[in-house]
Short mmCIF file of all heavy atoms in Angstrom, two decimals:
data_model
loop_
_atom_site.label_atom_id
_atom_site.label_comp_id
_atom_site.label_asym_id
_atom_site.label_seq_id
_atom_site.Cartn_x
_atom_site.Cartn_y
_atom_site.Cartn_z
N ARG A 595 -102.64 100.13 11.13
CA ARG A 595 -103.71 99.83 10.17
C ARG A 595 -104.87 99.15 10.87
O ARG A 595 -104.69 98.42 11.82
CB ARG A 595 -103.16 98.97 9.06
CG ARG A 595 -102.16 99.77 8.25
CD ARG A 595 -101.40 98.93 7.26
NE ARG A 595 -100.26 99.70 6.78
CZ ARG A 595 -99.19 99.18 6.22
NH1 ARG A 595 -99.10 97.89 6.04
NH2 ARG A 595 -98.22 99.96 5.82
N LYS A 656 -86.07 97.85 14.21
CA LYS A 656 -86.15 98.28 12.81
C LYS A 656 -84.76 98.13 12.21
O LYS A 656 -83.77 98.31 12.92
CB LYS A 656 -86.58 99.73 12.73
CG LYS A 656 -87.95 99.99 13.33
CD LYS A 656 -88.98 100.05 12.23
CE LYS A 656 -90.33 100.43 12.79
NZ LYS A 656 -91.30 100.70 11.75
N ARG A 939 -108.06 97.82 -16.95
CA ARG A 939 -108.15 98.76 -15.84
C ARG A 939 -109.38 98.48 -14.98
O ARG A 939 -109.31 98.52 -13.76
CB ARG A 939 -108.20 100.19 -16.39
CG ARG A 939 -107.88 101.22 -15.35
CD ARG A 939 -107.98 102.62 -15.89
NE ARG A 939 -106.97 102.92 -16.89
CZ ARG A 939 -106.95 104.07 -17.58
NH1 ARG A 939 -107.86 104.99 -17.38
NH2 ARG A 939 -106.01 104.30 -18.47
N THR A 978 -87.28 98.71 -11.93
CA THR A 978 -86.96 98.20 -10.59
C THR A 978 -87.19 96.70 -10.51
O THR A 978 -86.39 95.96 -9.93
CB THR A 978 -87.87 98.90 -9.55
OG1 THR A 978 -87.89 100.28 -9.85
CG2 THR A 978 -87.39 98.68 -8.16
P DG C 144 -105.81 107.31 -15.12
OP1 DG C 144 -106.47 106.52 -16.18
OP2 DG C 144 -106.44 107.49 -13.79
"O5'" DG C 144 -104.37 106.71 -14.89
"C5'" DG C 144 -103.44 106.64 -15.98
"C4'" DG C 144 -102.10 106.23 -15.42
"O4'" DG C 144 -101.51 107.34 -14.71
"C3'" DG C 144 -102.18 105.09 -14.41
"O3'" DG C 144 -101.04 104.28 -14.60
"C2'" DG C 144 -102.08 105.79 -13.06
"C1'" DG C 144 -101.07 106.86 -13.46
N9 DG C 144 -100.96 107.99 -12.54
C8 DG C 144 -101.92 108.53 -11.73
N7 DG C 144 -101.49 109.55 -11.03
C5 DG C 144 -100.17 109.68 -11.41
C6 DG C 144 -99.17 110.60 -10.98
O6 DG C 144 -99.27 111.52 -10.16
N1 DG C 144 -97.96 110.37 -11.62
C2 DG C 144 -97.71 109.38 -12.55
N2 DG C 144 -96.48 109.31 -13.05
N3 DG C 144 -98.63 108.51 -12.95
C4 DG C 144 -99.82 108.72 -12.34
P DT C 147 -88.90 102.79 -10.44
OP1 DT C 147 -87.62 103.27 -10.98
OP2 DT C 147 -89.20 101.35 -10.32
"O5'" DT C 147 -89.09 103.44 -9.00
"C5'" DT C 147 -89.03 104.87 -8.86
"C4'" DT C 147 -89.33 105.23 -7.43
"O4'" DT C 147 -90.73 105.02 -7.15
"C3'" DT C 147 -88.56 104.42 -6.39
"O3'" DT C 147 -87.79 105.36 -5.66
"C2'" DT C 147 -89.64 103.74 -5.54
"C1'" DT C 147 -90.85 104.62 -5.80
N1 DT C 147 -92.20 103.99 -5.68
C2 DT C 147 -93.14 104.62 -4.89
O2 DT C 147 -92.92 105.64 -4.26
N3 DT C 147 -94.35 104.00 -4.84
C4 DT C 147 -94.72 102.85 -5.49
O4 DT C 147 -95.85 102.40 -5.38
C5 DT C 147 -93.70 102.24 -6.32
C7 DT C 147 -94.01 100.98 -7.08
C6 DT C 147 -92.51 102.84 -6.37
P DA C 151 -94.46 102.36 11.29
OP1 DA C 151 -94.75 103.78 11.59
OP2 DA C 151 -93.45 101.63 12.08
"O5'" DA C 151 -95.81 101.53 11.34
"C5'" DA C 151 -96.86 101.85 10.43
"C4'" DA C 151 -97.53 100.56 10.01
"O4'" DA C 151 -96.75 99.92 8.98
"C3'" DA C 151 -97.74 99.53 11.10
"O3'" DA C 151 -99.06 99.06 10.96
"C2'" DA C 151 -96.69 98.46 10.82
"C1'" DA C 151 -96.54 98.55 9.30
N9 DA C 151 -95.23 98.21 8.75
C8 DA C 151 -94.02 98.78 9.07
N7 DA C 151 -93.01 98.30 8.38
C5 DA C 151 -93.59 97.36 7.54
C6 DA C 151 -93.06 96.50 6.57
N6 DA C 151 -91.76 96.45 6.25
N1 DA C 151 -93.91 95.68 5.91
C2 DA C 151 -95.21 95.73 6.23
N3 DA C 151 -95.84 96.50 7.13
C4 DA C 151 -94.95 97.30 7.76
P DA C 152 -99.67 97.98 11.90
OP1 DA C 152 -101.13 98.20 11.88
OP2 DA C 152 -98.92 97.96 13.17
"O5'" DA C 152 -99.32 96.63 11.15
"C5'" DA C 152 -100.01 96.30 9.95
"C4'" DA C 152 -99.61 94.88 9.59
"O4'" DA C 152 -98.23 94.87 9.16
"C3'" DA C 152 -99.69 93.90 10.76
"O3'" DA C 152 -100.18 92.69 10.23
"C2'" DA C 152 -98.25 93.74 11.20
"C1'" DA C 152 -97.54 93.84 9.86
N9 DA C 152 -96.13 94.19 9.88
C8 DA C 152 -95.48 95.08 10.70
N7 DA C 152 -94.19 95.17 10.47
C5 DA C 152 -93.98 94.28 9.43
C6 DA C 152 -92.82 93.90 8.74
N6 DA C 152 -91.59 94.40 8.98
N1 DA C 152 -92.94 92.98 7.76
C2 DA C 152 -94.16 92.48 7.52
N3 DA C 152 -95.32 92.75 8.10
C4 DA C 152 -95.16 93.67 9.07
#
Side-chain angles (χ1 to χ4, degrees):
Chain A
R595 293 171 194 160
K656 299 261 185 171
R939 197 182 293 174
T978 315

